[in-house]
Amino acid sequence: MARPFAPGHRIPTDLLLKAYASGVFPMAESSDDPEVFWVRPEARGILPLDAFHVSKSLRRTVRRHPFDIRVDTDFAGVIDACAETRAGRHSTWINAPIREAYVELNRIGHAHSVEAWREEKLVGGLYGVTLGRAFFGESMFSRETDASKVCLVHLVERLRARGFVLLDTQFTTEHLKSFGAIDVPRRKYETMLEEALRGAARFYP
């Protein structure tokens, strides 16, 4: 189910947070489309924190520390990289109102990025929204092999250590399923979300 947001309008951060608390999130048809649609899927993707799977090869990569992993040092750079066109993807759902709203969420402490750097260049990352004990994953990108995967491993470690109980992926892909992502019916997801919004978790210590 999707409904249009008024074209050309900013997305107020309080409205955006209320949407997440009700199981709704925004998307756009393309980066140059000023309209935003509110989406509430019948089946929701989640990545169970207690069933997160890391392959042996990725574990070896993580142990080698090929990247300098940072948090929130270039949130805008991460969202811009996630919005870039690349092979196999010629459009993006991240438009100007969405970018502006999430950069503001980062400024007020409700959105975060996990970043992979090499030789002072941003080579991979992911970002998402925090609310209560839930982390709502939005998008990820890689400019080097395994960069976003390593960021995901670091994200999950952080969420587990700091009291989070729900990692929302919105939808599932074969890539996310390889880490253990599953689809849950909307009603079950909303029950999980309600539980996750009780109490608080800290993304920072």
Side-chain angles (χ1 to χ4, degrees):
M1 180 174 74
R3 288 180 293 177
F5 191 84
H9 286 197
R10 299 172 64 184
I11 307 173
T13 52
D14 59 342
L15 175 63
L16 190 51
L17 291 174
K18 286 177 183 177
Y20 275 98
S22 357
V24 180
F25 56 88
M27 296 183 76
E29 290 291 344
S30 65
S31 61
D32 56 0
D33 187 337
E35 287 195 348
V36 171
F37 295 89
W38 297 103
V39 184
R40 188 179 178 214
E42 291 294 333
R44 191 70 166 245
I46 66 164
L47 214 171
L49 293 171
D50 59 356
F52 182 63
H53 172 73
V54 181
S55 67
K56 290 181 179 179
S57 61
L58 183 56
R59 287 184 189 277
R60 287 195 295 269
T61 299
V62 171
R63 285 196 297 267
R64 290 202 311 270
H65 301 290
F67 310 110
D68 177 16
I69 301 299
R70 306 177 189 176
V71 174
D72 287 341
T73 63
D74 189 4
F75 183 89
V78 171
I79 195 170
D80 288 344
C82 288
E84 289 175 352
T85 58
R86 52 183 177 264
R89 194 188 73 179
H90 303 293
S91 63
T92 175
W93 51 268
I94 300 171
N95 65 0
I98 286 176
R99 182 192 186 280
E100 180 184 35
Y102 285 83
V103 168
E104 178 62 14
L105 278 187
N106 172 251
R107 189 189 70 78
I108 65 175
H110 277 289
H112 302 283
S113 58
V114 180
E115 307 151 9
W117 293 76
R118 191 201 291 274
E119 297 177 353
E120 295 305 311
K121 292 182 180 179
L122 181 63
V123 296
L126 58 84
Y127 75 97
V129 173
T130 55
L131 197 59
R133 297 182 294 160
F135 185 94
F136 305 88
E138 286 295 315
S139 189
M140 59 176 59
F141 80 98
S142 281
R143 291 171 177 156
E144 290 193 13
T145 302
D146 288 338
S148 65
K149 293 179 181 180
V150 172
C151 288
L152 181 58
V153 172
H154 281 266
L155 171 67
V156 170
E157 289 176 351
R158 192 180 191 94
L159 298 182
R160 283 172 167 170
R162 296 183 179 164
F164 288 83
V165 297
L166 177 63
L167 174 49
D168 178 340
T169 67
Q170 298 179 347
F171 304 104
T172 58
T173 62
E174 291 307 311
H175 173 67
L176 290 172
K177 286 178 181 178
S178 71
F179 288 96
I182 59 173
D183 288 304
V184 295
R186 179 195 293 172
R187 183 171 295 181
K188 180 177 180 180
Y189 170 79
E190 290 176 351
T191 299
M192 297 171 72
L193 176 60
E194 183 179 354
E195 175 64 24
L197 294 178
R198 296 194 190 108
R202 291 179 177 271
F203 196 78
Y204 287 102

